[in-house]
Amino acid sequence: MEAIAAVKILQDLIALETVNGQESLVADYLAQLFADYPVQIKRINYAPGRDNLVVEIGDQGPILGFSGHEDVVAAGNRKMWQTDPFQGVVRAGKVYGRGASDMKSGLAAMVVAMLDLLEEDQPLPGRIRLLASVGEETGEYGAAQLTQTGYAADLAGLVIGEPTGMRVRVTHKGIIDYYVTSTGRSAHSSCPQRGENAIWPLIQFAQQIQTIMDQHQEQDPTLGGLTHVISQIQGGEQINSIPAQAQIGGNIRTTPVYPNEMIMKEIEAVVEKLNQAGAHLKLRYSYPEPPLPDQRKTKLAQLASKVLREQFQQTGEFCADTGATDASEYIKAGKFPIIIVGPGMGETSHQPDECVSIADYLEASKFYRALAWAFWQQ
Ligand SMILES: [Zn+2]
């Protein structure tokens, strides 16, 4: 594909305002790019206006998955932007806009690679399955739906196109966001014995959970340690009333050393103990995501590194990050390797003036195509 046509696809995707929703705009646009080819296209609806899209090319052979999310985070304060965040403005060799880095460039580069593969003179010895997901930024529930409906079960490997500056990201931390709600009974503050203070059990919870998390000092060699932050607290109705309602929220970043199930059991045990002592606590999680265990020894990671070194003058180095990706869901589907490689750098993601270099974007699409051939022929 001509560079100008490839850049147009990225600009078009940025112009679709899929801020935490409306992903069907992207699904429709991508489906139409493949309309003239003999490919399988499926829409998996999550909610009104929110379609995951699955596109498969090739007829036989091992399936390499390409994963990208269709949603973006909000633009934030538009006065902080030099350009319209939903225009895909080109300036000095870069495309600017929300999603330019995270990750409409990765998604577009994968799509361009697939369209180029469809134009090859020879029959393809394997298959590519594009998994374009909804809701990655708000809980990876599109990837969860695609995993639950079997679209990842028969993959031989998976590449996620999140921005890595074309390094091979082989591991990342998991996430547990939790909320503990406490219910008490209000009373005049001059007669506290008539009420039940909803705040006090949460203070005990906070102290106990922090003590337990502080004991988890073992480090993952690449990801470092588990982290825990109590990040939200609300409660009480007015200063001279016994509080009847309160809530505390926390964020934990897990590593393979301390798997999510183990940490969740510890949280649940603290809640249960306090409830047995008379508190009324309710625990809820918001989309917990397991960590991605280190993939660097897998054939796919080794192959990606080799292709980057030998064909693209890149270092092919492996890297890690704390942030979770759709990998946390797809990993539940089976034992295939997962790597994260994409154009753009994390630094501009979720920021004003998010951008990607056009050269990096075009190189990424050539890399995905080269990796597909190397993967099929290994
Ligand atoms: Zn992303």
Coordinates of all heavy atoms in Angstrom, one line a residue, residues 69 102-103 136-137 162-163 350, ligand 1:
H69 N -7.0 -2.2 20.3 CA -8.3 -1.8 20.8 C -8.8 -0.6 20.0 O -8.0 0.2 19.5 CB -8.2 -1.5 22.3 CG -7.2 -0.5 22.8 ND1 -7.5 0.9 22.8 CD2 -6.0 -0.6 23.4 CE1 -6.4 1.5 23.3 NE2 -5.5 0.6 23.7
D102 N -1.7 5.5 21.3 CA -2.4 4.5 22.1 C -3.9 4.4 21.6 O -4.7 5.0 22.2 CB -2.3 4.8 23.6 CG -3.0 3.8 24.5 OD1 -3.3 2.7 23.9 OD2 -3.2 4.0 25.7
M103 N -4.2 3.4 20.7 CA -3.2 2.8 19.9 C -3.8 2.6 18.5 O -3.8 1.5 17.9 CB -2.8 1.4 20.5 CG -4.1 0.5 20.7 SD -3.6 -1.3 20.9 CE -3.3 -1.7 19.2
E136 N -11.0 -1.4 26.1 CA -9.7 -1.7 26.7 C -9.3 -0.8 27.8 O -8.8 -1.2 28.8 CB -8.6 -1.7 25.6 CG -7.3 -2.4 26.1 CD -6.4 -1.5 26.8 OE1 -6.5 -0.3 26.8 OE2 -5.5 -2.0 27.5
E137 N -9.6 0.5 27.5 CA -9.1 1.5 28.5 C -10.0 1.5 29.8 O -9.6 2.1 30.8 CB -9.2 2.9 27.9 CG -8.3 3.1 26.6 CD -6.9 3.2 27.0 OE1 -6.5 3.1 28.2 OE2 -6.0 3.4 26.1
E162 N 0.1 -2.3 21.1 CA 0.2 -1.2 22.0 C 1.6 -0.5 21.8 O 2.6 -1.2 21.4 CB 0.1 -1.6 23.5 CG -1.3 -2.1 23.9 CD -2.2 -1.0 24.3 OE1 -1.9 0.2 24.2 OE2 -3.3 -1.4 24.7
P163 N 1.7 0.8 22.1 CA 3.0 1.5 21.8 C 4.1 1.0 22.7 O 4.0 1.0 23.9 CB 2.6 3.0 22.1 CG 1.4 2.9 23.0 CD 0.7 1.7 22.6
H350 N -2.3 9.2 26.3 CA -3.2 9.8 27.3 C -2.9 11.2 27.7 O -3.3 11.8 28.7 CB -3.2 8.9 28.6 CG -3.7 7.5 28.5 ND1 -4.3 6.8 29.5 CD2 -3.6 6.7 27.4 CE1 -4.6 5.6 29.0 NE2 -4.2 5.5 27.8
Ligands
ZN1 ZN -3.8 1.1 24.8

